[in-house]
Amino acid sequence: GALEVVWGSHAQSVLLADDVEPAPERLWKAALKEHQQITDAIDKGDAERAAVLTRRHLVGSHAFMSLVDDDRTITASTVQRSL
């Protein structure tokens, strides 16, 4: 939905920015594992677990994004580039 597009656009603009150091590989692997756990819960029809895992993942993602780039602004052009 809309939140996914906005968040994805923001993440992409931050993670691909020249002035932002790439995240350590361990963070990428942890995020991938979290995504797998979320999709596994969805596949099993466990909405409560999927919601808990998703909230936990978003809190961690937001904390990381705030550390590396708390000043970047989401604009319509940022979102349009990702569509």
Side-chain angles (χ1 to χ4, degrees), residues 6-82:
V6 171
W7 178 255
S9 299
H10 174 65
Q12 186 174 15
S13 72
V14 170
L15 297 175
L16 298 178
D18 292 335
D19 60 336
V20 175
E21 289 292 320
E25 185 176 340
R26 66 180 172 74
L27 288 180
W28 288 103
K29 287 181 178 182
L32 182 60
K33 182 179 179 181
E34 291 170 353
H35 282 217
Q36 186 62 55
Q37 291 171 334
I38 292 166
T39 57
D40 288 347
I42 292 168
D43 286 345
K44 292 176 183 174
D46 191 343
E48 185 174 332
R49 178 159 172 72
V52 167
L53 292 169
T54 300
R55 280 192 293 276
R56 186 181 311 152
H57 175 70
L58 290 175
V59 166
S61 296
H62 183 264
F64 173 76
M65 296 295 277
S66 294
L67 276 176
V68 298
D69 185 61
D70 203 25
D71 298 323
R72 203 169 309 263
T73 303
I74 298 298
T75 64
S77 63
T78 303
V79 174
Q80 288 172 339
R81 284 193 300 267
S82 72

